[in-house]
Amino acid sequence: MLRYFTAGESHGEALVAYLSGMPAGLQVDQPFLDRELWRRQQGYGRGGRMKIERDTAHILSGVRDGKTIGSPIAVLLENKDWKNWAESLPVEKGDPAKLKRVGSPRPGHADLAGALKYNFPEARYVLERASARESAARVAIGALAKLLLRELGMEVLSHVVSVGEISLQGEASWEQIHSLHPREEVLLNCVDPEIEQQMKAEVDRVLKTGDSLGGVFEVVAHNVPPGLGTYAQWDERLDARLAAAVMSLQAVKAVEIGAGISAAASPGSAVHDEIGYQQTGPFTGFTRARNNAGGIEGGVSNGEEIRVRGYLKPISTLRRPLQSVDFATREPVKAAYERSDVCVVPAAGVAAEAMVALTLAGCALEKFGGDSMVETLRNFRGYLEQLKSY
Ligand SMILES: Cc1cc2nc3c(=O)[nH]c(=O)nc-3n(C[C@H](O)[C@H](O)[C@H](O)COP(=O)(O)O)c2cc1C
């Protein structure tokens, strides 16, 4: 069983991620992990922090001589800014004058709900953990999940569908999405360069006004065989597991599988993907004329591309802050502001890739098992043969 946790505060010493349940013998590609972390830091509209640090994954355990050994993997991501925060976030009792209070909760952030829940007089410790800095730790272990999936022939990538009201028209093909991946300069990770420029102009517009933007990303999992997940039990459905995984990311407020949202307003004949048959195909001879189901029917992957969209609300830290209340005096004041991103749709897409990869890797290991890659691959190939001869 694949299990994972993260720990760490946004400005603390480091983030740590634990991943347990990976089979032994998986080759670990360190530059790939660091490249994934770099991808999460990109995108037009990010705050200043991305410029001061470049994340690297420091593997502490579970990998020896370049391969997984079946024991839990711990990965550490140093926070390069820690030196400026050590006195503000001391582990031991510190100087109260050095603490950086967040005195008025930001509407839309975790500040007020978290302070009430944990009985904090202000919101510093709330945002330190609620912050999406945490998603970097998920990207590190998501990269390991991607390496496992790669051995099974599967790939997971994302692209940006919309930023504010600027939207890509039509569906992006796998080839288009794939072609974004090697870019050394990431703007808004949109497959249409003209729309991408319009998205950039939209970010510039809100930057000037001190506002922020949300948007939509799409994660596509390519070459996923039919049979991952099951309708047999509610919490084993692949759609449910993917929805929870993507929704668990900071600022994601809706998740769509395939054409889920427009399907609700369309007749069945316009939605369901007609079935055909030809002798050969990637997994079986069954074909579909389109993929409105987003690769999942009955909570089971059906052999088509898996398409999951995440809908992000706009960032809640505003340079032109909304109305709030002072925690101490209860007087009306403007909400707190500290250095912040303005638009994070491409980065959220990368973090969602990690969550989709971890989910698919978990489902694959449940189906194919194996304590070593040799065993997992043998089981996987046996299943592919079974599908071929169906
Ligand atoms: C990649 C990424 C970066 C983010 N950066 C910021 C940020 O700089 N400032 C901010 O206020 N919110 C940022 N957020 C969103 C907050 O973390 C999120 O809104 C907050 O934790 C409250 O959680 P909720 O929106 O899920 O309710 C970011 C989200 C993501 C996915």
Side-chain angles (χ1 to χ4, degrees):
M1 193 171 130
L2 203 62
R3 288 182 296 170
Y4 46 96
F5 284 103
T6 68
E9 283 89 43
S10 180
H11 300 96
E13 189 167 356
L15 295 168
V16 182
Y18 303 89
L19 177 64
S20 142
M22 288 287 264
L26 175 70
Q27 193 94 36
V28 172
D29 177 351
Q30 176 78 45
F32 177 71
L33 264 65
D34 292 339
R35 168 89 187 169
E36 290 292 285
L37 290 169
W38 174 83
R39 290 179 62 230
R40 194 204 69 94
Q41 295 186 290
Q42 303 310 300
Y44 194 72
R46 304 304 302 279
R49 183 164 188 183
M50 299 307 136
K51 296 188 188 89
I52 57 169
E53 53 190 347
R54 173 151 185 184
D55 287 326
T56 51
H58 179 56
I59 298 175
L60 298 173
S61 71
V63 179
R64 300 291 158 197
D65 203 20
K67 287 187 177 173
T68 55
I69 56 171
S71 356
I73 299 170
V75 186
L76 183 135
L77 279 72
E78 212 184 298
N79 282 330
K80 310 257 168 24
D81 210 14
W82 167 240
K83 55 183 179 304
N84 300 319
W85 284 82
E87 289 187 323
S88 306
L89 291 171
V91 173
E92 309 212 316
K93 178 102 190 84
D95 174 357
K98 302 263 167 66
L99 303 182
K100 294 185 180 163
R101 291 180 73 255
V102 177
S104 52
R106 291 160 296 174
H109 217 294
D111 302 350
L112 181 57
L116 293 172
K117 175 176 170 67
Y118 291 100
N119 197 31
F120 295 138
E122 48 86 32
R124 169 54 60 196
Y125 297 150
V126 176
L127 70 97
E128 283 296 326
R129 181 61 188 163
S131 155
R133 172 82 189 125
E134 181 270 344
S135 65
R138 302 199 222 179
V139 169
I141 50 173
L144 293 167
K146 282 187 173 189
L147 291 175
L148 174 81
L149 293 175
R150 195 192 274 176
E151 293 295 313
L152 308 181
M154 295 177 236
E155 242 185 300
V156 181
L157 285 173
S158 67
H159 68 109
V160 169
V161 174
S162 73
V163 166
E165 289 189 342
I166 311 296
S167 262
L168 177 73
Q169 299 305 314
E171 189 175 288
S173 68
W174 173 252
E175 289 68 32
Q176 283 176 309
I177 299 166
H178 207 264
S179 72
L180 293 172
H181 191 230
R183 280 190 187 173
E184 288 304 322
E185 205 178 320
V186 179
L187 209 53
L188 287 146
N189 209 35
C190 178
V191 297
D192 182 327
E194 220 166 276
I195 300 289
E196 191 171 43
Q197 285 304 323
Q198 291 177 30
M199 289 173 170
K200 177 174 178 283
E202 186 68 357
V203 175
D204 283 333
R205 193 182 60 76
V206 299
L207 259 171
K208 277 196 202 105
T209 57
D211 216 323
S212 66
L213 279 172
V216 180
F217 60 77
E218 181 173 62
V219 180
V220 180
H222 185 69
N223 216 28
V224 178
L228 297 190
T230 174
Y231 46 79
Q233 203 59 263
W234 68 270
D235 58 350
E236 295 174 40
R237 292 181 62 107
L238 182 57
D239 45 6
R241 290 171 69 165
L242 285 172
V246 174
M247 182 68 98
S248 75
L249 285 165
Q250 298 83 350
V252 172
K253 292 300 137 203
V255 179
E256 177 182 26
I257 311 264
I261 289 175
S262 63
S266 311
S269 57
V271 171
H272 302 301
D273 310 323
E274 286 186 312
I275 301 172
Y277 194 81
Q278 60 188 31
Q279 286 306 317
T280 55
F283 300 109
T284 69
F286 293 100
T287 59
R288 302 296 180 120
R290 61 188 176 204
N291 184 21
N292 283 337
I296 305 173
E297 288 168 310
V300 185
S301 62
N302 65 7
E304 300 297 307
E305 269 168 6
I306 291 181
R307 289 192 174 241
V308 188
R309 288 182 174 199
Y311 290 67
L312 287 172
K313 73 184 186 188
I315 294 297
S316 55
T317 307
L318 303 180
R319 205 158 37 75
R320 193 161 45 92
L322 294 174
Q323 196 55 44
S324 184
V325 169
D326 188 291
F327 272 118
T329 65
R330 310 291 153 104
E331 291 297 322
V333 288
K334 291 293 180 191
Y337 177 78
E338 66 182 58
R339 187 180 53 196
S340 176
D341 299 321
V342 167
C343 171
V344 298
V345 193
V350 175
E353 288 173 31
M355 294 309 291
V356 168
L358 285 160
T359 306
L360 291 176
C363 290
L365 288 173
E366 281 162 34
K367 180 154 177 59
F368 306 116
D371 294 307
S372 69
M373 283 309 290
V374 170
E375 193 181 358
T376 304
L377 284 169
R378 186 172 61 234
N379 297 343
F380 176 67
R381 289 180 188 133
Y383 176 67
L384 292 189
E385 272 173 37
Q386 177 193 313
L387 286 176
K388 280 273 177 231
S389 57
Y390 175 86

